[in-house]
Amino acid sequence: MAMAVEQLQHLIATDHPPHPVVSPLREPLILGHKGAADVTEDIGRLLENPPGRGWWLLFAGAVTLLSAGLVAITHTITTGIGTWGLNKTVGWAFDITNFVFWIGIGHAGTFISAILFLFNQRWRTSINRSAEAMTLIAVMCAGLFPLIHMGRPWLFYWVFPYPNTRGSLWVNFRSPLLWDFFAISTYFTISLVFWYLGLVPDLATMRDRVQAKWRRTLYRLLSLGWNGSHRTWSRYETVYTVMAALATPLVLSVHSIVSFDFATSLLPGWHSTIFPPYFVAGAIFSGFAMVMTLMIVVRWAMRLESYITIQHLDNMCKVTLLTGSIVGLAYLTEWFIGYYSSNPHERYTIINRALGPYAWAFWTMVTCNMIVPQFFWFKRARTSIPLIFALSLLVNVGMWFERFVIIVTSLHRDYLPSSWAIYTPTLTEITIQLGSFGLFFTAFLVFLRLFPLISINEIKGVLGYARHK
Amino acid sequence: MRATNNHTNNTRFTAAYFKREEDLLAATREARTKGFAIHDVYTPYAVHGLDEAMGLQRTRLAWIAFAAGAFGLFCGLLLQIWTSAYDWPLNVGGKPFNSFPLFIPVTFELTVLFSGLIAIGVLFLRNRLWLFKRRRVFERVTDDRFVLVLRQPDASFDAERAVALFAGHQALNVIEGDEFV
């Protein structure tokens, strides 16, 4: 054998042909003629370098917001829901608006990781990891609101159908609020394991390169002894596809079920069959806007311009345009049906939204959700980073107001004029909302420091994209 | 595919390092046609076409996921129908005790939950991936190197032919040893 190996030494080619020519038809997904080792280095280094001043500043800001939110939550729980601006007429307002807002944000990650995977959209590889992390964090932020709205959050386990000493008195499986509990907990669990599954090979890469002892231990623990065996990869790919196929209807089901919370009631403005598709489109619309907002900051701050290219932003703008237009069409349909139903209550709800005391919220919503995304028809808007950033922020504002309009304007004036009321948020509610943003950014900043924010192994798989084989 | 982890301790292995995916694929294909026993291939990312090159059977994990989903569907329906219609029937707004169409959302969620969790659980068990697991990892294989490992089942293993094969595909290095995994 020794002889054979010696023989080999001079047979082995030391020179390799240069990178194959780039196809004139397809743009490469990753710029800068990167090799596999460059990818490991570029992404790995981000975790090994100490965080910069910008990160600490953002982190301090986020933790401050989070702490303020925790104070407000403590105040709510120790004093009661009376600390909020809710009244007998408007029983849902800021809390449920924020809940639906965050759940909506949480739709983009799994859309990107599952639906775009099944459609073989390989550009997803640059953004899926951080979008999935964003999803998990947003679902946590969302879960916070129904929990504290319960008033006695320590009894939250009553929503589980478990045998109990009250009879067993079971939960009511006919209630959309219970469906919501099942949908969101399933969504969170499946998104978490899907995200972790994608992380395992990257954690092994990090395990084999980091120096810091605590990181080595963390990555050794979580990479489960991954060694890149193809027998493992082969099964892994099958299960990854199965998970994508499962997560696809799951994404659609979650916001459909959230919309049932409203659609199955009899309130004018809520009782509408258009709600499930309308809510799903709105969720993906707002989720993509949030992904763009975050990715623009991340690619700039972490110098990832060759990984998250203008092409990626362009594609995301197109998805935002499509889903934004579906949302716009849904608004038009809702208004038309309100008029066409000849139901005075339905008609009044639409008119009250546009001209009543909350008209300012309604017109903010219309401007941000119907008009703003239409700019993305133009290539110039889809490739100008400051413009994308501004427009995606406006979409986020618009989608928050959409939920506020749906919830508050429908409730505050319904069938019984003697019960009509006005809702104004209290400082406690506003602080809890800011606190949820604090939680979101704190957790996202921690994620950026703890796990590879771009899927290293998937990027290596698409390096050959657009090169002649 | 089945006999991955059943080799005896005295089996020796020959491993070749490659720099490029194409070379690895070609070498694997040739090794298989020339009748070498391919122990495994180690890669930094999922290389497409390697299943065929190694002659791997299709995994049955998709069927396991399907069966798990069917089990979840059954459990979901059973839970809801039994609690709502048999154990403690409650009249909610005059709806029938077994209000099946209203049970669809929870049934669907449990189907997905069972299928996903069981599929991933079985994947980890089948691949022997678990917390604190330690394995030999080939140098740079989680970074940018590809490694093809051949088994030497008996004395008939022709090392020179193997080395010539590797060399023909721009192998970077060849090593020998026992117990690679």
Side-chain angles (χ1 to χ4, degrees), chain B residues 52-133:
Chain B
E52 294 76 33
M54 288 169 73
L56 292 185
Q57 288 170 16
R58 278 186 72 93
T59 160
R60 291 169 295 195
L61 275 165
W63 289 106
I64 291 178
F66 177 78
F71 179 61
L73 183 125
F74 174 75
C75 290
L77 275 181
L78 190 72
L79 170 75
Q80 294 176 84
I81 295 173
W82 180 73
T83 55
S84 312
Y86 294 96
D87 190 52
W88 186 312
L90 260 188
N91 184 334
V92 179
K95 295 186 183 82
F97 294 132
N98 177 5
S99 20
F100 168 71
L102 299 180
F103 296 162
I104 292 174
V106 171
T107 309
F108 171 78
E109 300 301 331
L110 289 177
T111 306
V112 169
L113 185 68
F114 274 55
S115 179
L117 288 184
I118 292 177
I120 291 208
V122 174
L123 171 79
F124 286 162
L125 286 179
R126 180 69 190 81
N127 288 326
R128 293 154 190 265
L129 295 169
W130 44 71
L131 295 177
F132 297 112
K133 177 89 182 170

Side-chain angles (χ1 to χ4, degrees), chain A residues 128-141:
Chain A
N128 70 330
R129 171 73 44 74
S130 35
E132 282 175 59
M134 181 200 81
T135 285
L136 291 169
I137 300 165
V139 175
M140 284 191 256
C141 293

